[in-house]
Amino acid sequence: MSQNGDNHSLSNTSQSLTAIPLGGLGEFGMNMLALRLGDAIIVIDAGMMFPESELLGVDLVIPDITYLKQNRALVKAIVLTHGHEDHIGALPYILRDLNVPIYGTRFTLALVKKRLEEAGLIDSTTLREVIPGRLVEIDPFEIEFIPVTHSTIDCVALAIRTPLGVIIHTGDFKIDQTPVGGAPFDLHTFARYGNEGVLALFSDSTNVERPGFTPSERAVVPRLEDLCRSAPRRVVLSCFASSIHRIQQVIDIASRVGRKVAFVGRSMVDNIEIAHSMDYLRIPDGMVVRPQDIRSFDPKRLVILASGSQAEPMSSMSRIAVDNHRFVSVDENDTVILSARIIPGNEKPIFRMLDNMFRRRALVYYENSAGTIHVSGHASQEEQKLILQLCKPKYFIPVHGEYRHLFRHAALAHQLGCVSGEILLMEDGQVVEFTEDRAYRRDPVTAGRVLVDSGSLEEIEEAVVRDRKHLSEDGVLVPIIAIDKHTGRMDMQPEIVTRGMFSDNGQELMAGARDIVLKTVEQSNSEEKMDWSVMKEKIRVDLKRYINKHTSKRPLILPVILEV
Ligand SMILES: [Zn+2]
Ligand SMILES: [Zn+2]
C-alpha cells in the first residue's frame, strides 16, 4: 500500500513537506510545531511555560518565532489542540508579529478569547471554530479534528492530509474509557488513518516514564466522595482551573453528600463561568454559595473550590494558607484537598503552603498516598503503545517532553516495531523534510526561548536576567565621586554605597575601596579626568581588582560621577 494512499494531488511529487519544531521538544511547555508544505506553513499550538526560579523577574517563557517572522507571508494559520497554557499561552505575545487566523474547538477558543481581550487583541484577530470529527481546509492542508480525552475539555488530535501523506499530531491525550461527559476518545479514527497509511506520527511523551494505563478521570470519585462525606467541617479543594471534569465531579459529589459549593479565585471563577455558559458544566440550581456568604454559611455543608493548586503567589490558596483571604479561612478540622499534581519545581511553595494549613490544624490531603485524589491527563506507556499500533506510521517523532522523555518514547516505539520507516529524535529548531521515499535532516532554524515580563508584555533580554542573577548573588557597589569640570579636581571624598554585599560591617573594606578610587583619580591625567566614560571604566576595573583580592564576591560595580 502506498503511503500516499489517497488521491489528492498525487501528481505534484516535487512538493516538499518539512516539520519544524519550535517548542516542546526538549522541555515541558511552550509547545509549538510548524509544518511547511511548499509555500504554506501552519503552526500547531502556541504555548508558554513558567520560568525556572533562576530566571529572576521573568513571568513567562515563550518560543522564539524568528523562523515564522522570516516567513511571515507563508504562515496560513495557527491550529490549536486544546486550551491549556502550554498550548495557547504564547498567543497574546506572538500575534503582534504574526496576525493569522486561529483554529480551535469551542471551549479552546473561549479561553483564547479571554486572553486576547485582556491583551487588547480580540478585534484584530480572526478566530475560526472547528468541530471535532469534521474536516477543515486550510489550503493546501486538509485537517480533521479528532476528539481525544485529556485533563481539560474539547481536546483534539489532528490528522493533516498532504500530498505526501497524512500527518497525525496527538496533542495532549490520555485514553479515558469512561470520560466525564464530552466525547469519548475516538480510537476508530486513529485506526482508520492507520489502515489508510500514516506518513508521520507526532505523539505526546509526557508520561512515558509510567508503565500501564493512566486511570480514568472517574477514578478520583470514591476517595473524594469519602473525604467530602466524612469531613467534620468545611472542605477546601484546589485543582487546576482548567480541569472542568474535576470541577464537575466535585460539584456532583457535593450535591450527593448534601453540601453546597463556592468558587474562589479569578481563574477558577472565570473558567467555571465560561464552561457553564457553554453547557460544559452542569450546576444544579441553588447549589452555589457566593464568596461573600462563605463566612456565615454552615461549614459542615460547604465545599470551596479554590484556585492556586501550585501555590502561585497571590493565588487564593496561598492567601487562605496565611489568613489573608477576604472570604475564606482555614480553621481546626477543616479539610484541605490538593487535587492536582505537584509540578516539579513548585514543591517548595506548595509544601510551605501545606505546612501553613497543617499549622492551622486542618486535615490536609495531597498526592495519592492516602487514596486517589488526582489522576494525570496524559497517556502512560500502554496508551502510547496503542496509538503507535493503531497509526503504524512510516515516521515517528516523539513530542512534549524533556530529552529523556522523547528518548524513552522513541525506545518504546522501537520495541514495538510498528514504525516502518524511521524513528526521529528531534529537538527544537531541528528540521526534517519528508519526501516520497525518505526523510532528510535539514539545516536547523533559529529556536529557543524568549523571556517575557507579563506586566509590560515586553521581552526581557538574557543579559538583563544575567545582571539580575549577578545582583542577587553578589550585590552592587556604587562609588560616587564629584569632579570639578574646570579644574578636574575632586571636591569631596568619594562615597561608596553597597547593597546586598555585607550584612554588618564592610567598613574596613570600604575605607580601602575609597582609597583605591582616590588613587585612581589622582593618577589620571587631566584629559582622562575630563572624559567621564574613561574615568568610570578605570574606577570600575581598579575596584574590581581590589574587591576580588579581598573577598570572594564579584559585585556589579556602577561608578557615578557628579559634576560640580
Ligand atoms: Zn494539556
Ligand atoms: Zn500540554
Side-chain angles (χ1 to χ4, degrees):
M1 183 181 56
S2 160
Q3 289 297 333
N4 308 310
D6 58 280
N7 48 17
H8 288 246
S9 19
L10 268 178
S11 55
N12 191 355
T13 50
S14 66
Q15 252 175 342
S16 85
L17 175 66
T18 46
I20 305 125
L22 295 173
L25 279 76
E27 64 266 304
F28 281 117
M30 63 174 223
N31 297 298
M32 181 182 266
L33 174 80
L35 283 183
R36 177 170 182 165
L37 178 63
D39 276 343
I41 294 172
I42 52 168
V43 180
I44 300 167
D45 290 333
M48 57 90 116
M49 69 178 183
F50 291 105
E52 310 95 79
S53 56
E54 301 95 81
L55 294 175
L56 300 160
V58 173
D59 297 309
L60 53 100
V61 179
I62 61 172
D64 185 330
I65 58 160
T66 302
Y67 172 79
L68 299 176
K69 286 196 241 175
Q70 285 162 349
N71 295 282
R72 195 187 315 249
L74 312 184
V75 183
K76 302 290 173 202
I78 297 172
V79 182
L80 303 174
T81 60
H82 65 292
H84 276 151
E85 290 293 345
D86 57 325
H87 298 259
I88 68 167
L91 285 173
Y93 308 95
I94 68 168
L95 283 176
R96 289 165 211 277
D97 293 312
L98 205 71
N99 192 349
V100 297
I102 299 171
Y103 290 75
T105 58
R106 198 161 154 252
F107 184 69
T108 302
L109 288 191
L111 297 181
V112 168
K113 223 179 264 174
K114 187 103 200 154
R115 292 287 172 297
L116 297 185
E117 272 163 12
E118 287 161 3
L121 288 167
I122 191 72
D123 294 332
S124 57
T125 309
T126 308
L127 300 178
R128 301 221 166 109
E129 188 181 316
V130 300
I131 296 168
R134 298 267 185 86
L135 291 174
V136 171
E137 186 111 20
I138 306 173
D139 190 45
F141 301 93
E142 186 190 77
I143 304 180
E144 178 169 358
F145 293 81
I146 310 171
V148 298
T149 45
H150 180 43
S151 50
T152 186
I153 52 179
D154 233 5
C155 304
V156 288
L158 310 173
I160 303 159
R161 193 179 290 282
T162 77
L164 286 144
V166 172
I167 305 275
I168 304 268
H169 189 296
T170 63
D172 284 352
F173 76 98
K174 71 174 181 182
I175 301 176
D176 194 333
Q177 312 271 26
T178 55
V180 178
F185 190 104
D186 189 357
L187 285 168
H188 298 284
T189 299
F190 281 88
R192 176 162 56 76
Y193 280 107
N195 287 333
E196 177 190 319
V198 170
L199 175 67
L201 170 68
F202 295 78
S203 184
D204 177 12
S205 313
T206 308
N207 274 355
V208 73
E209 291 173 332
R210 298 190 191 184
F213 290 89
T214 302
S216 166
E217 173 60 28
R218 287 187 198 271
V220 299
V221 170
R223 184 60 175 150
L224 288 184
E225 181 153 350
D226 186 39
L227 289 173
C228 289
R229 197 182 297 279
S230 59
R233 281 172 48 90
R234 65 164 66 114
V235 176
V236 178
L237 183 142
S238 189
C239 64
F240 284 106
S242 58
S243 301
I244 304 300
H245 294 140
R246 187 71 45 86
I247 294 166
Q248 180 70 65
Q249 300 201 99
V250 172
I251 293 169
D252 293 346
I253 288 169
S255 155
R256 285 201 292 274
V257 304
R259 288 176 182 254
K260 295 201 186 295
V261 290
F263 309 122
V264 297
R266 198 181 126 207
S267 61
M268 185 66 79
V269 171
D270 282 355
N271 282 8
I272 287 174
E273 256 171 35
I274 292 171
H276 189 227
S277 73
M278 300 175 95
D279 286 329
Y280 286 114
L281 201 56
R282 299 172 314 276
I283 308 177
D285 289 340
M287 185 74 189
V288 179
V289 174
R290 295 183 308 170
Q292 56 268 44
D293 298 333
I294 289 174
R295 285 197 196 279
S296 56
F297 197 85
D298 179 2
K300 288 195 228 21
R301 292 189 51 234
L302 190 59
V303 175
I304 298 163
L305 271 153
S307 46
S309 68
Q310 301 305 303
E312 297 89 342
M314 313 307 283
S315 69
S316 291
M317 285 300 276
S318 295
R319 287 165 182 270
I320 291 168
V322 293
D323 278 339
N324 187 22
H325 192 279
R326 250 191 332 154
F327 304 123
V328 186
S329 62
V330 158
D331 302 304
E332 187 166 355
N333 283 331
D334 281 344
T335 298
V336 173
I337 303 172
L338 194 69
S339 180
R341 186 165 93 101
I342 294 176
I343 294 180
N346 296 345
E347 296 92 342
K348 273 236 155 78
I350 292 177
F351 288 129
R352 194 183 314 128
M353 171 180 93
L354 295 179
D355 281 344
N356 283 325
M357 300 292 192
F358 277 106
R359 275 192 189 98
R360 285 164 175 74
R361 296 293 177 265
L363 312 166
V364 186
Y365 301 88
Y366 58 99
E367 297 185 316
N368 287 338
S369 51
T372 305
I373 56 175
H374 170 66
V375 290
S376 170
H378 294 273
S380 300
Q381 286 172 5
E382 295 305 315
E383 296 151 279
Q384 291 169 332
K385 286 184 199 167
L386 186 53
I387 292 301
L388 277 157
Q389 296 280 21
L390 287 175
C391 292
K392 295 174 287 187
K394 186 168 179 188
Y395 302 106
F396 171 56
I397 299 99
V399 297
H400 303 172
E402 295 177 355
Y403 195 79
R404 67 185 181 284
H405 302 96
L406 307 180
F407 186 93
R408 293 189 65 175
H409 203 179
L412 198 71
H414 187 74
Q415 222 178 54
L416 285 182
C418 61
V419 177
S420 60
E422 207 179 329
I423 297 165
L424 298 157
L425 255 176
M426 295 170 66
E427 290 187 83
D428 297 342
Q430 297 178 346
V431 177
V432 63
E433 177 178 353
F434 303 106
T435 65
E436 286 286 287
D437 47 359
R438 46 168 307 197
Y440 296 92
R441 299 266 186 174
R442 295 301 185 204
D443 289 340
V445 302
T446 306
R449 55 186 196 178
V450 171
L451 314 177
V452 181
D453 178 329
S454 67
S456 62
L457 301 185
E458 294 280 319
E459 185 178 322
I460 303 172
E461 300 284 335
E462 293 270 0
V464 173
V465 177
R466 254 198 322 273
D467 280 352
R468 287 177 184 171
K469 189 158 188 281
H470 192 163
L471 282 168
S472 76
E473 284 167 1
D474 290 316
V476 60
L477 185 150
V478 183
I480 304 169
I481 60 171
I483 295 182
D484 187 309
K485 194 100 193 175
H486 304 290
T487 63
R489 289 184 42 177
M490 257 191 302
D491 273 21
M492 57 175 221
Q493 282 286 308
E495 268 185 54
I496 294 194
V497 178
T498 69
R499 287 289 183 272
M501 284 186 69
F502 309 105
S503 51
D504 48 0
N505 40 33
Q507 281 169 12
E508 201 176 313
L509 190 70
M510 285 308 103
R514 265 194 299 273
D515 291 342
I516 296 285
V517 175
L518 268 174
K519 212 160 80 196
T520 306
V521 176
E522 273 163 15
Q523 288 172 355
S524 301
N525 64 37
S526 53
E527 272 138 353
E528 285 175 325
K529 282 188 215 168
M530 293 300 168
D531 188 339
W532 289 0
S533 56
V534 170
M535 285 314 297
K536 282 183 184 174
E537 185 56 18
K538 285 186 77 173
I539 292 170
R540 205 185 61 76
V541 169
D542 290 349
L543 271 179
K544 188 178 163 202
R545 192 179 305 126
Y546 171 77
I547 297 287
N548 283 355
K549 208 168 120 190
H550 292 90
T551 74
S552 58
K553 292 188 192 301
R554 295 178 307 108
L556 207 64
I557 301 172
L558 299 170
V560 172
I561 302 179
L562 303 174
E563 180 180 337
V564 291

